[in-house]
Amino acid sequence: SEAYIDSLYWAYITMITTGFGDIVPLHIAETIWCIFTMFVGVIITALTIANLQRTIGQFDAARLNFQRKIELIKKFLHYRGLPKDVQERVTSFYDYQWRALKGADEEQFLMELPRT
């Protein structure tokens, strides 16, 4: 039983790369505690990375929607044959909106506010 737990400890410490024998547990209870705390640490790290990935993905989704919208607007303005200065003013307006709001829907926000 103790050999199994020691080998499990060695496997965890090797996979997690938190050390290779410089500090070792002396008793079976310490070994079990080390295995448990390393496992909890791995779970916390994985959840943190997943949360960061989701947050960055949401920011990129807003930017991607904005870029798609700008491309459609540019195609529409070109299709209608509007003068270049008008096209630049329209795209400048949408660029300003993106810089100011970062993809937030101002109309939706204002509609959610109380009327009084």
Side-chain angles (χ1 to χ4, degrees):
S1 165
E2 189 173 336
Y4 176 74
I5 292 177
D6 284 342
S7 62
L8 191 59
Y9 170 79
W10 178 85
Y12 275 138
I13 202 81
T14 302
M15 286 188 307
I16 299 172
T17 66
T18 56
F20 289 102
D22 51 346
I23 300 173
V24 296
L26 301 176
H27 304 290
I28 194 78
E30 291 175 347
T31 306
I32 293 171
W33 177 251
C34 288
I35 292 170
F36 174 74
T37 55
M38 284 185 282
F39 186 71
V40 169
V42 166
I43 289 176
I44 290 171
T45 302
L47 291 174
T48 302
I49 291 170
N51 194 17
L52 285 171
Q53 182 183 7
R54 188 183 76 219
T55 302
I56 290 169
Q58 288 173 348
F59 179 73
D60 285 343
R63 180 178 294 279
L64 184 61
N65 287 339
F66 169 74
Q67 289 172 343
R68 286 179 183 161
K69 183 177 184 178
I70 285 292
E71 287 303 315
L72 287 173
I73 290 169
K74 285 180 179 179
K75 286 179 183 178
F76 175 78
L77 295 174
H78 180 73
Y79 172 75
R80 289 294 181 187
L82 295 172
K84 291 287 183 193
D85 63 323
V86 173
Q87 292 182 27
E88 289 175 10
R89 286 177 50 203
V90 170
T91 55
S92 292
F93 167 76
Y94 282 103
D95 285 336
Y96 167 77
Q97 251 192 339
W98 172 256
R99 286 191 310 272
L101 302 174
K102 297 292 186 218
D105 188 356
E106 187 176 17
E107 287 182 33
Q108 181 66 31
F109 171 75
L110 292 175
M111 289 180 66
E112 292 174 359
L113 291 175
R115 298 214 184 265
T116 58

